[in-house]
Each structure stands twice: as C-alpha cells, then as structure tokens.
Amino acid sequence: MNFIYFSRAMALGALVIVASCSSDSKPAETVAAAPLASAPAPVATPAAAPAAAAPAEPAVPAASAGFDPTTAPIVTPTLGAFPYFSLLDGYVKMDEKTAPGNSAREYNKEVNFDRYEFFDGAKIIPVEGKLLTVSALGKAASFFQAQKTYEKLVHDLGGVTVFEGSGEKMKDLKLKYEDPRHRSRYGMTGQEKSGVYMLRTPDKEVWVEVYKTYSSNPENYWLTVVEKKVLPMEASVLPAAEMKKALDATGHVALYLNFDTDQATLKPDAQPTITQIISLLAQNPDLKLAVQGHTDNAGTPAHNQELSEARARTVAAALTGQGIAASRLQAAGFGQTKPLVDNTSEPNKAKNRRVELVKL
C-alpha cells in the first residue's frame, strides 16, 4: 500500500476492514519480494494461526567438508613439461653429492604413477598420478616465502589455495597420513607446516605441496607435484603357458607386480599373476623356482637391497599360502644391482622394478 492510503487506513477503521477483505491481496511472500504497491495488504484475523516455523536443520560447520576439487575453476593455462614448477632460485635437490649420508634422500622420487595424500584443513585427500617429490636445500628464503611463491605461481595460472598452515589442525582432528613419507617422521606433525595448491584444467588436476618438516633446516623445504591421472596399463597378466615358454627358453621370466609404495605389501591387483604362477607350478610338479626381487636406483643401495628381498619373500609367501610347497621356492633380492636397462628415465625405471622367476 502507498503512504497516503496507509494514513487514511489508520484514521478510518472501517476502511481497514474493507481493505482486509479485498480480493486483490497478494501472498505475504510476494508482497515482501515486490516494491511498494498501491494495493492494500491483508490484515490477519484472529482465527488465522501463525505458520509453524520449520524445524531448524543441524548446523554443519563449513570446514567439516573441507576442499572439493570439483569446485575449483577449470582454466586453460599454457603449461610446460611436468613437474611444471622449479625450485626456488638458489636451491638444489638433495642427493648424494649435496647431502651425503642423509637418509631422507630416499624420499626424493619421480615416478609415472603413485598415490600421495594432501591435507585440506579438514580431511586427507588421496590423489593418484604422476609424482615428483624433491627435498630442496638452500639458505635463500624463509618457508613463508616458499609458500607464497608457489601459491602465486599456481594462482597466476588460475589455480586455488587448498590449505596453508601447520599440522596442528591434523593433530586436533586426530588424522594421520597413511603413507607419510618425508612428513611426520619424528611424530611431530603439529610442529610442521605446509601449503597445498591445486590447478584444474579440462583434462587434468595438478596438485602442489610445499612442506617444512620438523627436522629440516628452517630454510629447506620439500616440494611435491602430482598430476592426477588414471593408472597407465603398462603390463598385463602373463599366462602360465607363456611363463613356461620363457623359462624353457631363457631360464627366467620377469613379472611386474604392484606393491604399496616403498613397501613389500602386494596390491590386490597382483593376485591374477599370483594365480598364474600357481597354475604354472601345479601343471609342472617337478618345477622349482627362485623368486628374485629387483628395484630401480631410487633411494640408497642398502634400502633397495632390503626392499627387494622383502618383496621376493612376500611373493613366495603368497604362493605357499595358496598351497605351493615351500621346498619348491627360494626367495632372494638383488636391489638395484641387476638393471635390465639404465635408470635414466621413468619408463626404464619401471622395467627395472620387477620380480623374476628363475628356473632351478
């Protein structure tokens, strides 16, 4: 109603009653959403009970959901070659030359496919794809500068910040990385800091983490870049008949079994190959095999030796656990000492990470 009409309605009660019965009245929500109109508003009668308020839904803290990758904008920046981001000026990668004897070197890694966990301030997000992890050594920058440098690089490409802060939030939420690697090595997650950033393009997600560990020099940092992608199928299950043919021809056959990263635990997708080895041994009851583990040259020779031995024992145990007599098997590891090809590229390293069956 307009101001003049309202004034008259207040002065003349009869007009108010007439106005309340007008057939031109609008629903309350329509009047509220519209600009002031000349038509009078309805007046509630004593018989009209107020509408019951809808029960309030339980409030859910916004932070509980954490970061949703699908909400990041899709952008089309010009990217170079993986890993897309370099170390800060004045920094070098930790290796045998720059940090001799430092056991943390084994966490430096560049692989074609891996699984890495990122903390978003509320939960842990596992991302699978091509991975690079580098320990950056230098004295040119604070960790805050490292955070803000990579944040700006990602933002300039159209990406977003997922999380910046200390591990105290993880500690408060009682969260732990399933595979911490260089992080939380001394159980001091609350004293460590990180920055996590993500870039989403039409065909990929690029995740970046800059991390300061509890034990590192205040000016050193770890850089991890993951390009999310599906597992590249570079190997297939070798049938028992093909294994037998290779053993008869050369005395050995290379198998590519998937293990947990830097562990001796077989992944579930290794079972079809284990089944074929069992079939091979069942069809050839006189056959005895050496199960030999091999690695690439990432990490220390001593660590690789231990890892290859443990993986060989795991495969042998998987066979004996499914009915193969232990007397028909021998387990041994050779670490990085017997590469099939040089370790100068990721495809070559993948060929060297193998388990061989050798005819005894």
Side-chain angles (χ1 to χ4, degrees), residues 299-316:
T300 65
H303 175 75
N304 289 336
Q305 178 63 34
E306 293 174 2
L307 182 62
S308 67
E309 291 174 0
R311 288 181 170 180
R313 290 194 298 268
T314 294
V315 173

Side-chain angles (χ1 to χ4, degrees), residues 102-104 107 180-188 192 215 222:
N102 192 323
S103 62
Y107 298 110
R181 307 191 188 196
H182 55 279
R183 305 167 296 186
S184 307
R185 294 182 68 204
Y186 300 97
M188 300 295 290
E192 301 184 334
S215 61
W222 288 82

Side-chain angles (χ1 to χ4, degrees), residues 231-251:
L231 174 66
M233 295 307 295
E234 299 174 345
S236 59
V237 176
L238 191 64
E242 293 298 318
M243 294 182 194
K244 181 65 164 59
K245 185 184 295 185
L247 289 169
D248 289 342
T250 64

Side-chain angles (χ1 to χ4, degrees), residues 174-356:
K174 296 181 171 56
L175 294 175
K176 292 184 179 180
Y177 296 112
E178 183 178 326
D179 183 12
R181 307 191 188 196
H182 55 279
R183 305 167 296 186
S184 307
R185 294 182 68 204
Y186 300 97
M188 300 295 290
T189 306
Q191 305 300 313
E192 301 184 334
K193 299 178 181 179
S194 68
V196 180
Y197 316 99
M198 196 269 268
L199 175 69
R200 186 181 178 211
T201 75
D203 62 344
K204 66 169 68 80
E205 292 175 10
V206 178
W207 291 72
V208 180
E209 178 193 76
V210 56
Y211 199 93
K212 179 186 179 298
T213 62
Y214 171 74
S215 61
S216 66
N217 181 293
E219 295 168 317
N220 294 342
Y221 68 94
W222 288 82
L223 174 67
T224 296
V225 180
V226 178
E227 178 186 316
K228 183 178 180 180
K229 64 179 183 178
V230 299
L231 174 66
M233 295 307 295
E234 299 174 345
S236 59
V237 176
L238 191 64
E242 293 298 318
M243 294 182 194
K244 181 65 164 59
K245 185 184 295 185
L247 289 169
D248 289 342
T250 64
H252 62 93
V253 60
L255 304 177
Y256 293 90
L257 301 168
N258 288 324
F259 293 84
D260 287 346
T261 302
D262 206 36
Q263 302 293 324
T265 305
L266 279 168
K267 289 185 177 292
D269 61 9
Q271 183 54 46
T273 298
I274 296 296
T275 300
Q276 290 300 313
I277 301 172
I278 292 170
S279 179
L280 166 70
L281 290 164
Q283 294 169 18
N284 300 274
D286 294 330
L287 180 62
K288 295 183 178 182
L289 296 173
V291 181
Q292 300 180 350
H294 300 268
T295 71
D296 59 25
N297 67 344
T300 65
H303 175 75
N304 289 336
Q305 178 63 34
E306 293 174 2
L307 182 62
S308 67
E309 291 174 0
R311 288 181 170 180
R313 290 194 298 268
T314 294
V315 173
L319 297 174
T320 57
Q322 296 183 52
I324 301 300
S327 59
R328 299 178 65 188
L329 302 170
Q330 294 179 8
F334 293 90
Q336 64 191 59
T337 62
K338 294 187 176 183
L340 295 178
V341 292
D342 60 61
N343 283 291
T344 55
S345 68
E346 178 51 37
N348 282 8
K349 290 182 178 182
K351 289 180 181 178
N352 292 331
R353 296 190 297 267
R354 67 197 189 278
V355 171
E356 289 198 5

